Amino acid sequence: MKTIKLKKESVQLVKDVLKDIKASPDLGIYKCVQCGMCTSVCPGARQTEYDPRDMIRRVLEDDETVIDDDNIWNCFSCYTCNSVCPSGNNASEINQILRQMSIDKGEGMKKIVSFAAYGDSFMELGVGSIPNNFFDVMVKDVGPGYMDLKINIEDIRADLGLGSYILPENAIDEVESILDNSGFKDRLEKIKRCK
Amino acid sequence: MKFIPDKDILLFKSCLVNVEYPGIESSTCYIFDRIDVDYYVDERQSCCTGLGHYYDLFDQISTTALAARNFHIAVETGHKNIAVMCATCYAILKKSAKILNQNEEARNKVNEILDDSNLEKREYTQGDMDPAQNIFHVAEIFFNKREEISSQVKVDLTGLRVATHHACHYCKVHYNDTIEGVRDPNLIDKLAEAVGVETIGWYDHKRVTCGAGFRQRFTNKEASLAVTAGKLQALKENKVDLLLHMCPNCQMQFDRYQPYIEEKLDTEFNIFHLNISQFIALAFGADPYKILGIQTHTVPIEPLLKKLNYSLESNQKVDVKAKKSIN
Amino acid sequence: MNQDSSKDISNKDLKIGVFLCRCGGNISDTVDMEKLRSSVDAEVVEEFENLCSINGRKIIRDSIIQKNLDRIVVAACSPITHEKTFQKYINPLNPYLLEMANLREQCSWVNPDVETATEKAISLVNASIEKVKYAQPLDPVLRKTTKSAAVIGGGISGISASLSLARQGIKTCLIEEQPTIGGAMVKVGKLFSPEKLAEECAMCLLNPLVNEAVEHKNIRIMTNTTLKSAERRSGNFHLLIESKPRKVIEDRCISCGKCAEVCPVEVKDSWNEDMTFRKAIYKPFAQAVPDVYTIDLEKCKNCGKCQEVCRMNAIDLDMEGEVVPMTVGSVVIATGHKTFDMAKRPEYSYGRHDDIVTQMELARIMGVNGPTQGKLLKPSNNKVPERVVMVQCVGSRDEKPGGRKYCSKVCCMVAIKHANVIKQHYPDTDVIICYTDMRTPGMYEKYFKYAQSNGVRLIRGRPGEIAEKDGIFLVRLEDTLSREPLEIEADLVVLSTAMEPSDGTINVSGLLDVGLTEELFVKEKHSKIKPVATEVDGVYVCGTAQGPKDITDSIVQANAAAAKISELINGGVELEPFVASIDQSKCNLCKKCIDICKYKAAYIQDGMLTVDPISCTGCGACIWECENNAIEIMGQTDEQIIATIDGMLKDKKPEENRIIAFLDSVGYVSADNIGINKISVPSSVRIIKIPSMNRIMPKHILHAFKMGADGIIMGEYPYNPMYSRTKEKIAGLKEELVKNNINPDRLAFYKVYIPYFRGLANKFKEFDGEITCLEKG
Ligand code: SF4
Ligand code: SF4
Ligand code: SF4
Ligand code: SF4
Ligand code: SF4
Ligand code: SF4
């Protein structure tokens, strides 16, 4: 049996969530009435064991294990929950905050290491795209034409009257420098080490 | 009704438009040129980090710092109104502008990062970018000019059963700014109407996400494609020929994976996918290969054009078409 | 002193009697009465043990008669305790020629030190003496109201209010926009009765009331009419009422219905929630009152067919509308509500399918006088549904754009009622209610249990969407208790839609100048203690125009509104005369005071600026706006305020600090509470009661500093309508001080609350400390 002790243990998780830079100033988590409307429209809930309403409940009840729950990685970030929540709450935003908490703890890094190539591309070209380690599987799923597209993209763009999509040298330098000073470079290295 | 500009516009480049459906960009420019929209593209503008952001790879501060840099480029060149072709860019830029305006600590941090990168000149001052007044989706710019659009139509596109897929990150993130419906989005339905095409309007799953779910497409493929399949199924039940998009990421999910899902489910959907810019450009009589860029599509658009008696002259070296789906 | 000195001299001739009360030691143990007596300069100074006792009356009265006194000061307890008593004791003098010095709550009880307490007592008495010199005889305001009322809206609330008024002998005009009275209640069919655990027939309950209203000699029912304009003058309302032409002569029509038979125009019947059709000439329902036909002006094609068949010659297609003026003493807003516009929640597919209906539509379907004569049949195919799913809180408790943040209060009970009715007549039909919370307060809980035992199923979850597949509805939600996303198949879906303010409510409130809430319901003057009064005196509200409520509550409120009107008319209400008075010779009708007054007390009548003494609170906000100095507040004139300040600061010693605290009535009671609780307060503090801080102007503040005040405190209760303005004012006052080289820190502003007296005492202490620091430099 769970006991809510008279001597208050400070309820920290929800406060941390609200303090997060991603949290909108009007994030209404305290107003949640557990109506489940978010879950009822949630593709993650329909396809997996993920339940945004229950995630909110656990945050409100200071259940830190929610951060380590694999299910939070099943959110599609589609914000459908946000668009209907009658109480001004935003499960999608809270999900993203919990994931960052999991990454900060280290556990979550394993979940995102396969996307690291996106970061490399970003720093190299100033643009991101589908991480190239997924090309093989995409070519397999989509067809060999997909590889042709990747190879010939600049020519196709030229045919369409568009210039190169890669940023000029000095712009890339600016981007790289920002990502260095913002700590992203270090973060990326750390994530990559997780492999 | 909110104010929508038609000048001083920075047409914001999107990573997925760049390399997956560049025809969206050429179509957008093609339309803008014909409806008197004054826009500008800046090669220095970086990508918004959207995919990386929702892969949870990027942290919010890095995303925001890069947004501040892009905002500065917009302001510096006198193109303070940003128009995006991708819904992810839309949500990411608005979120960043909100943080920069409302969160002093984050703003100072971002400016510190810019200073450390010798980019003092790109520092962000509160209010530089108004998330509601300066950031738009291209479709909104079109909507504001729908009369001009109607007057430019040269090709009759009626006779198709058309449905729309409204991008989640346009409708549902900053829903107070969304025009023409959040819970029953109709923005691109109205644009189709402007080129003379009546859409089917509401259908079950109309609001449902494309299924890409950023990481889900790669790490949770079954769930991801199940969502897409559900939507395709609903469209099929409504006998839809063509699904209109407003985001390259959604378009990828449907166009690239439809043949795959058809094979897996042993069914045929036979639904074409076009971005709203491509659709309007088509109505304007633009060249399918030189402007629409249909050569980068997986579900071939040629049968659709044939259905419309569109003359196909181009001779393309690249062909992304799925070999499996023979239409 | 910037006062008129000639007046000063004449005031000096006044004979003033000062009566000091020892209060059984409460005062005299701390205040040196000898010293106090000798320091007071007046015609008569007397001291007694218990002035409020019945002996006190004789002593004061005898003294007034024998010594020919003109003005009286009673230095005793707080005026809150005994002012009314002493006002009576000074008879034959006018009661307003009395001032009280609060020597107990605000002196002896808060100042244990004899020397400083005595000093303070002297200045309090002096202040009262100075002030009373300027007192003028006043008459209390007696509110008298014309014995007539207009009730706008002919639903259950309006009918109930009209009947109650009429039975109390008040002439009442019931104004209804529709061709018939009855409102929403006639449509609902059945009402729930928690005591009997049964449903009663709404029409059977309403009909006697309607009939009584029709028969009652004091009620005039005007259907097809709306309020066009309203003007308030000295407590009366001049209304213009516009009636649409019915095009059927009421006295002739015998309601035979022949006309409708021949009318070629079919119109969706709003009485049946658009589920059936009627003709362009129609009577909404069989028992409609008045019992006559009406032509729908928008739909009639003027073909004249009806005219041909009408044997009574009742139809007049050329009939014109008219505008009727009327004057009434009071107005009741009973304009009701409307239901939520389902276009705002398209995901529930309302309007896409016939078998997704609202509770009101279900009520019509199950009404014996409805489209299916009371049988529960699906609109699409006239078959009994296998499963009815009800969705609660549709549009209510919803913060999203278009939604209503409040709970609509009745829909849980309505759903249970309909579920019970279905279960009784169609036990094989499954009924599921999808809810977030079931709200069945009080006795209704019994009815809720009854529904449960009837087999009504409840699933806790708010549906996100309703889809249709192959003719079957899918209600999608999460069963939050079993943590499971769920799809419920149904063949009839019923939406419990929100109650919204009706357009009539918004229009009528605009015409009457009555304030609305954020949600656009009529705002009550005070939700707890003045629930049926509005911001405009003489205008009352009842029923759903004021917010969601059920029939019982609507009727209770209607009766309350009628009782309030009757109070005004019969007893009349006696009010303190401390209100604004206008010097017509100075007023140039700039109307600035009218705009500023939040109590809507000022208006122009017959080319003269008039203040309704019943609405005016004497707050003084208008004085600031008046550039011509045409406004005074009786009992709080500039002279009186200045005189009080002078008295408070008289004989100040060089080393002594004196702080003047202007407190509103809430602050004054709070200060009394400090005394009652014997909390000590710095002896420097001298309290002056002022109706609203808006009354205090730069000249008063500057005068106080000039006369030696070391600091000034202003304290006001933040929940009065003028408070927002007060805050701006304080900033202005501080600037004024700076201009006059006075440190603005010498002026402090606090919020005051009655129970928070300890806080106020602390504020006094802190401020006294700050002033002492400033003095030391
Ligand atoms: S987050 Fe919103 S939608 Fe979800 S359970 Fe809470 S109140 Fe309901
Ligand atoms: S954003 Fe995530 S939690 Fe919200 S509806 Fe989409 S998948 Fe579900
Ligand atoms: S108007 Fe004439 S025909 Fe119509 S109901 Fe009245 S009496 Fe009968
Ligand atoms: S005149 Fe009007 S009401 Fe009379 S029958 Fe013709 S359409 Fe009907
Ligand atoms: S009464 Fe019940 S259904 Fe109606 S809004 Fe309140 S909780 Fe919801
Ligand atoms: S004193 Fe106050 S309430 Fe009276 S008229 Fe002036 S502003 Fe209105």
Side-chain angles (χ1 to χ4, degrees):
Chain A
M1 192 188 71
K2 191 166 128 187
T3 309
I4 299 182
K5 292 256 176 60
L6 187 57
K7 192 170 166 324
K8 264 191 276 161
E9 293 119 42
S10 70
V11 181
Q12 200 46 49
L13 184 53
V14 62
K15 290 189 187 138
D16 290 344
V17 164
L18 286 168
K19 263 194 301 210
D20 192 278
I21 177 176
K22 281 183 195 276
S24 305
D26 54 356
L27 181 59
I29 181 165
Y30 282 124
K31 292 186 287 180
C32 172
V33 289
Q34 291 288 300
C35 67
M37 199 172 189
C38 47
T39 304
S40 78
V41 295
C42 174
R46 199 166 293 187
Q47 304 299 337
T48 74
E49 288 297 300
Y50 171 57
D51 184 334
R53 175 196 54 76
D54 200 51
M55 170 187 76
I56 302 292
R57 179 188 63 76
R58 288 168 71 184
V59 171
L60 285 167
E61 290 177 7
D62 209 31
D63 174 1
E64 297 210 1
T65 62
V66 67
I67 298 172
D68 308 315
D69 187 336
D70 258 0
N71 276 317
I72 65 170
W73 298 92
N74 291 336
C75 165
F76 283 62
S77 305
C78 70
Y79 285 85
T80 312
C81 49
N82 177 50
S83 73
V84 298
C85 169
S87 308
N89 192 15
N90 184 346
S92 189
E93 198 166 277
I94 290 166
N95 176 290
Q96 289 163 43
I97 293 169
L98 294 177
R99 286 184 185 180
Q100 287 302 331
M101 289 178 169
S102 169
I103 292 165
D104 291 345
K105 279 177 69 182
E107 274 306 296
M109 292 205 186
K110 290 183 211 138
K111 293 281 176 190
I112 57 171
V113 60
S114 55
F115 298 100
Y118 177 93
D120 290 334
S121 137
F122 207 101
M123 293 212 291
E124 252 166 60
L125 311 174
V127 276
S129 186
I130 306 296
N132 49 27
N133 47 313
F134 294 122
F135 277 168
D136 289 351
V137 51
M138 281 209 60
V139 171
K140 207 168 126 244
D141 294 348
V142 175
Y146 192 66
M147 197 41 117
D148 293 349
L149 169 65
K150 294 292 127 180
I151 295 166
N152 296 304
I153 184 64
E154 290 285 28
D155 290 347
I156 296 174
R157 289 180 61 87
D159 284 352
L160 292 167
L162 302 169
S164 167
Y165 69 89
I166 298 167
L167 270 58
E169 212 46 62
N170 52 352
I172 297 180
D173 291 346
E174 284 187 19
V175 168
E176 202 196 341
S177 175
I178 289 175
L179 290 178
D180 193 358
N181 289 310
S182 74
F184 178 73
K185 212 173 184 177
D186 288 348
R187 175 183 166 102
L188 189 62
E189 286 315 311
K190 245 195 240 159
I191 292 166
K192 282 202 244 168
R193 276 200 296 274
C194 213
K195 269 197 183 133
Chain B
M1 190 60 207
K2 69 177 179 184
F3 173 78
I4 301 172
D6 63 2
K7 54 178 187 293
D8 307 330
I9 289 173
L10 176 78
L11 181 59
F12 197 90
K13 290 180 297 166
S14 133
C15 63
L16 289 179
V17 170
N18 280 342
V19 300
E20 296 284 338
Y21 301 103
I24 296 174
E25 185 173 341
S26 40
S27 299
T28 302
C29 296
Y30 184 89
I31 301 162
F32 276 0
D33 290 340
R34 280 158 184 77
I35 59 170
D36 247 347
V37 171
D38 154 51
Y39 67 98
Y40 160 81
V41 180
D42 195 303
E43 56 173 8
R44 297 167 300 165
Q45 171 234 311
S46 81
C47 165
C48 75
T49 77
L51 295 181
H53 188 88
Y54 289 110
Y55 294 151
D56 306 291
L57 187 70
F58 268 76
D59 55 289
Q60 186 70 55
I61 274 289
S62 301
T63 294
T64 311
L66 289 170
R69 175 179 174 274
N70 286 331
F71 292 157
H72 183 261
I73 288 173
V75 173
E76 164 195 68
T77 58
H79 296 86
K80 197 179 168 171
N81 299 314
I82 294 180
V84 300
M85 291 172 279
C86 165
T88 310
C89 299
Y90 178 86
I92 289 272
L93 293 180
K94 283 205 181 216
K95 174 86 183 172
S96 296
K98 283 184 183 171
I99 290 176
L100 286 167
N101 288 341
Q102 296 168 350
N103 183 335
E104 195 183 342
E105 197 184 323
R107 181 169 64 241
N108 292 341
K109 175 84 189 129
V110 163
N111 284 339
E112 217 173 274
I113 293 167
L114 292 169
D115 291 354
D116 292 347
S117 314
N118 290 325
L119 292 169
E120 292 84 353
K121 59 169 183 183
R122 301 218 192 274
E123 267 190 20
Y124 186 89
T125 314
Q126 187 178 21
D128 275 356
M129 185 58 56
D130 182 327
Q133 304 283 315
N134 295 129
I135 301 172
F136 299 91
H137 191 287
V138 158
E140 294 177 307
I141 315 265
F142 292 158
F143 182 77
N144 187 37
K145 293 239 157 192
R146 55 198 185 283
E147 274 160 33
E148 284 91 327
I149 287 181
S150 297
S151 70
Q152 297 280 337
V153 173
K154 303 204 170 57
V155 179
D156 180 11
L157 298 174
T158 52
L160 295 171
R161 263 184 85 74
V162 178
T164 59
H165 170 78
H166 285 76
C168 296
H169 284 209
Y170 169 71
C171 295
K172 303 172 190 165
V173 186
H174 306 281
Y175 50 77
N176 281 322
D177 296 347
T178 307
I179 61 168
E180 296 305 303
V182 173
R183 307 171 89 107
D184 176 9
N186 277 304
L187 177 57
I188 43 181
D189 294 76
K190 295 270 170 73
L191 292 175
E193 216 170 275
V195 300
V197 175
E198 196 74 45
T199 64
I200 65 161
W202 179 267
Y203 57 94
D204 186 21
H205 286 59
K206 188 180 189 192
R207 303 188 291 174
V208 172
T209 173
C210 62
F214 302 94
R215 61 179 289 109
Q216 309 307 343
R217 180 194 286 156
F218 301 107
T219 58
N220 222 350
K221 191 151 110 193
E222 243 167 72
S224 160
L225 295 182
V227 173
T228 317
K231 194 145 182 166
L232 285 168
Q233 199 62 48
L235 291 162
K236 184 180 173 183
E237 277 154 25
N238 280 283
K239 302 194 177 59
V240 165
D241 300 315
L242 169 65
L243 186 63
L244 294 179
H245 297 272
M246 60 186 289
C247 171
N249 202 9
C250 313
Q251 191 163 336
M252 262 189 94
Q253 183 76 1
F254 284 98
D255 174 54
R256 301 275 182 248
Y257 288 92
Q258 178 172 303
Y260 178 89
I261 296 169
E262 284 174 330
E263 198 183 67
K264 287 270 159 194
L265 299 183
D266 192 20
T267 181
E268 278 192 8
F269 295 120
N270 291 330
I271 297 170
F272 301 107
H273 299 279
L274 280 179
N275 183 279
I276 186 65
S277 292
Q278 293 174 301
F279 186 66
I280 297 173
L282 182 65
F284 282 13
D287 185 283
Y289 299 103
K290 295 220 157 71
I291 303 295
L292 268 61
I294 60 168
Q295 59 273 39
T296 76
H297 285 232
T298 297
V299 176
I301 300 298
E302 284 80 356
L304 173 77
L305 299 177
K306 266 187 212 129
K307 217 169 164 173
L308 296 165
N309 295 323
Y310 216 88
S311 64
L312 296 166
E313 291 147 17
S314 271
N315 199 359
Q316 292 302 309
K317 35 185 193 274
V318 179
D319 192 359
V320 189
K321 283 179 218 46
K323 301 290 182 267
K324 323 174 195 178
S325 88
I326 315 296
N327 268 303
Chain C
M1 282 216 295
N2 54 1
Q3 263 174 288
D4 182 331
S5 54
S6 66
K7 240 181 182 172
D8 222 346
I9 290 163
S10 72
N11 284 339
K12 281 211 171 101
D13 302 335
L14 292 170
K15 289 187 179 160
I16 297 173
V18 177
F19 297 86
L20 306 174
C21 181
R22 302 170 63 88
C23 196
N26 271 310
I27 294 171
S28 55
D29 287 355
T30 317
V31 174
D32 177 347
M33 299 303 273
E34 254 327 295
K35 188 164 174 206
L36 174 59
R37 272 182 81 155
S38 59
S39 316
V40 170
D41 172 22
E43 180 78 19
V44 172
V45 183
E46 305 249 29
E47 184 184 331
F48 298 95
E49 194 62 27
N50 269 103
L51 209 48
C52 59
S53 66
I54 200 75
N55 291 341
R57 175 203 290 260
K58 190 178 169 342
I59 291 158
I60 296 173
R61 194 202 290 149
D62 289 353
S63 193
I64 291 170
I65 294 169
Q66 282 161 20
K67 305 268 170 61
N68 246 332
L69 298 180
D70 303 302
R71 300 281 191 274
I72 303 299
V73 170
V74 171
C77 53
S78 168
I80 306 290
T81 324
H82 274 315
E83 188 166 52
K84 284 273 166 283
T85 315
F86 291 119
Q87 280 183 341
K88 281 187 210 127
Y89 285 9
I90 70 166
N91 194 356
L93 288 182
N94 179 287
Y96 296 98
L97 299 178
L98 165 82
E99 271 301 320
M100 283 189 73
N102 187 342
L103 295 196
R104 193 178 70 178
E105 280 83 348
Q106 294 182 6
C107 184
S108 66
W109 279 353
V110 294
N111 252 79
D113 173 60
V114 172
E115 193 185 327
T116 54
T118 308
E119 289 296 332
K120 190 174 190 171
I122 294 169
S123 61
L124 294 182
V125 174
N126 278 336
S128 294
I129 293 173
E130 292 307 319
K131 186 174 181 196
V132 85
K133 287 179 186 167
Y134 295 94
Q136 294 296 326
L138 298 172
D139 291 322
V141 178
L142 184 66
R143 162 154 206 172
K144 284 175 256 105
T145 306
T146 313
K147 215 170 171 182
S148 62
V151 175
I152 305 174
I156 181 61
S157 307
I159 294 173
S160 305
S162 302
L163 276 175
S164 173
L165 288 166
R167 287 179 194 142
Q168 299 181 71
I170 299 161
K171 290 265 179 230
T172 303
C173 185
L174 178 57
I175 296 161
E176 168 58 50
E177 192 176 8
Q178 297 298 315
T180 170
I181 59 170
M185 184 169 163
V186 287
K187 294 206 230 167
V188 300
K190 295 241 160 66
L191 305 180
F192 41 80
S193 154
E195 290 78 20
K196 296 185 210 149
L197 293 185
E199 300 76 30
E200 293 176 73
C201 157
M203 190 75 89
C204 312
L205 291 175
L206 186 64
N207 243 10
L209 299 181
V210 170
N211 290 342
E212 190 186 341
V214 174
E215 298 303 328
H216 208 294
K217 66 176 193 325
N218 287 337
I219 297 180
R220 177 173 170 208
I221 298 175
M222 298 176 79
T223 50
N224 254 341
T225 52
T226 46
L227 179 66
K228 200 173 175 232
S229 72
E231 221 179 281
R232 189 178 57 150
R233 283 189 189 159
S234 46
N236 284 330
F237 295 87
H238 300 286
L239 311 177
L240 284 182
I241 309 290
E242 183 171 34
S243 22
K244 280 193 291 180
R246 190 185 283 277
K247 304 224 167 175
V248 174
I249 301 159
E250 280 190 41
D251 315 336
R252 289 202 194 150
C253 175
I254 52 164
S255 204
C256 68
K258 291 248 166 20
C259 50
E261 279 168 29
V262 299
C263 173
V265 182
E266 297 234 306
V267 183
K268 277 196 176 163
D269 190 355
S270 57
W271 149 255
N272 274 331
E273 295 287 296
D274 290 353
M275 291 182 291
T276 53
F277 289 90
R278 61 159 166 82
K279 294 294 180 61
I281 185 162
Y282 69 110
K283 192 172 81 170
F285 54 99
Q287 300 85 343
V289 168
D291 188 12
V292 290
Y293 275 64
T294 303
I295 290 185
D296 182 334
L297 301 180
E298 277 162 34
K299 299 289 157 57
C300 166
K301 292 195 295 204
N302 252 323
C303 69
K305 292 216 170 81
C306 53
Q307 218 164 12
E308 282 164 29
V309 297
C310 178
R311 272 182 277 163
M312 299 303 294
N313 262 330
I315 298 171
D316 172 8
L317 290 173
D318 300 322
M319 189 187 277
E320 305 228 321
E322 54 175 343
V323 176
V324 195
M326 75 170 68
T327 299
V328 293
S330 314
V331 178
V332 178
I333 303 179
T335 38
H337 64 277
K338 65 174 184 194
T339 52
F340 186 72
D341 172 11
M342 278 311 298
K344 290 175 185 156
R345 294 295 175 264
E347 67 268 31
Y348 285 161
S349 297
Y350 178 85
R352 287 187 204 113
H353 309 284
D354 290 344
D355 296 344
I356 299 181
V357 299
T358 63
Q359 290 287 7
M360 191 47 136
E361 286 165 346
L362 181 63
R364 290 312 309 135
I365 292 174
M366 296 196 302
V368 276
N369 49 9
T372 56
Q373 285 79 46
K375 288 197 207 64
L376 175 66
L377 301 175
K378 290 185 284 173
S380 67
N381 61 5
N382 277 324
K383 289 201 179 118
V384 176
E386 286 177 59
R387 177 179 293 140
V388 180
V389 173
M390 298 187 180
V391 179
Q392 296 307 97
C393 303
V394 177
S396 298
R397 305 178 68 198
D398 184 348
E399 291 189 12
K400 282 283 142 27
R404 297 274 154 185
K405 289 186 188 147
Y406 50 83
C407 163
S408 291
K409 221 170 165 182
V410 301
C411 12
C412 279
M413 282 311 302
V414 170
I416 290 174
K417 172 184 69 182
H418 287 163
N420 274 336
V421 174
I422 294 172
K423 274 294 177 191
Q424 278 155 23
H425 300 282
Y426 305 88
D428 294 338
T429 296
D430 192 19
V431 183
I432 299 179
I433 301 178
C434 305
Y435 71 101
T436 305
D437 301 284
M438 285 311 282
R439 298 188 165 172
T440 55
M443 292 306 147
Y444 292 138
E445 184 69 4
K446 276 166 62 185
Y447 196 63
F448 175 45
K449 294 283 170 251
Y450 178 59
Q452 285 180 296
S453 33
N454 272 339
V456 174
R457 293 204 281 164
L458 293 135
I459 296 182
R460 190 186 178 285
R462 184 163 176 145
E465 57 195 7
I466 299 164
E468 182 252 14
K469 208 166 189 174
D470 307 325
I472 294 175
F473 299 123
L474 304 171
V475 180
R476 297 188 179 128
L477 74 162
E478 183 196 14
D479 180 342
T480 58
L481 298 181
S482 68
R483 197 194 180 283
E484 225 172 345
L486 189 68
E487 245 174 24
I488 311 174
E489 294 188 342
D491 54 350
L492 183 67
V493 175
V494 186
L495 307 172
S496 296
T497 47
M499 272 193 183
E500 293 191 334
S502 67
D503 301 338
T505 299
I506 297 164
N507 292 341
V508 166
S509 305
L511 293 173
L512 287 164
D513 216 5
V514 162
L516 296 174
T517 63
E518 184 197 347
E519 303 280 2
L520 304 181
F521 288 107
V522 175
K523 188 155 100 210
E524 319 119 306
K525 201 157 185 182
H526 192 285
S527 57
K528 291 276 175 289
I529 55 172
K530 290 193 171 152
V532 293
T534 68
E535 280 179 4
V536 177
D537 229 79
V539 178
Y540 297 85
V541 62
C542 62
T544 51
Q546 180 268 324
K549 58 179 62 66
D550 66 7
I551 290 170
T552 315
D553 286 352
S554 295
I555 295 174
V556 169
Q557 228 185 12
N559 289 333
K564 282 288 155 197
I565 292 174
S566 171
E567 269 177 25
L568 288 181
I569 291 172
N570 296 324
V573 178
E574 217 174 81
L575 300 158
E576 295 282 21
F578 304 135
V579 297
S581 107
I582 310 296
D583 183 341
Q584 298 294 349
S585 66
K586 291 185 185 163
C587 170
N588 68 353
L589 296 180
C590 70
K591 297 189 187 167
K592 287 190 184 139
C593 51
I594 299 183
D595 296 338
I596 194 73
C597 179
K598 286 245 168 46
Y599 302 96
K600 298 180 175 134
Y603 56 95
I604 291 181
Q605 179 175 12
D606 304 330
M608 287 216 291
L609 186 77
T610 313
V611 172
D612 177 7
I614 292 142
S615 309
C616 175
T617 63
C619 74
C622 47
I623 297 185
W624 285 73
E625 301 301 313
C626 182
E627 283 159 16
N628 305 313
N629 281 325
I631 310 177
E632 271 286 21
I633 304 293
M634 306 311 292
Q636 293 287 0
T637 62
D638 278 345
E639 288 161 342
Q640 284 169 306
I641 294 175
I642 297 282
T644 314
I645 294 171
D646 289 347
M648 288 289 189
L649 296 170
K650 201 167 162 186
D651 301 329
K652 186 190 146 193
K653 297 198 204 76
E655 74 288 351
E656 188 194 351
N657 278 348
R658 281 197 196 169
I659 293 168
I660 303 254
F662 294 109
L663 299 179
D664 69 358
S665 53
V666 168
Y668 195 85
V669 174
S670 186
D672 274 3
N673 279 339
I674 297 176
I676 291 164
N677 288 280
K678 310 277 162 57
I679 301 164
S680 60
V681 159
S683 57
S684 57
V685 176
R686 306 280 190 280
I687 294 166
I688 299 178
K689 186 174 158 194
I690 291 289
S692 155
M693 289 309 113
N694 276 306
R695 180 67 193 92
I696 301 300
M697 307 183 70
K699 61 180 171 197
H700 305 134
I701 300 279
L702 292 174
H703 180 78
F705 281 120
K706 190 171 137 206
M707 296 309 287
D710 299 283
I712 293 179
I713 289 172
M714 297 172 72
E716 188 165 50
Y717 179 61
Y719 298 105
N720 78 52
M722 284 298 188
Y723 178 72
S724 55
R725 294 192 44 79
T726 306
K727 279 179 60 186
E728 293 164 30
K729 293 272 168 64
I730 302 298
L733 286 175
K734 291 211 173 217
E735 276 170 34
E736 200 68 30
L737 291 184
V738 174
K739 269 191 229 152
N740 286 280
N741 284 324
I742 299 168
N743 185 341
D745 292 344
R746 288 184 184 271
L747 176 67
F749 178 70
Y750 303 130
K751 293 179 194 166
V752 294
Y753 309 86
I754 288 176
Y756 191 54
F757 53 85
R758 277 176 218 282
L760 184 61
N762 284 337
K763 293 269 164 63
F764 286 157
K765 276 176 212 152
E766 276 165 31
F767 188 68
D768 180 67
E770 281 163 30
I771 293 297
T772 312
C773 281
L774 284 177
E775 287 302 315
K776 287 183 185 142

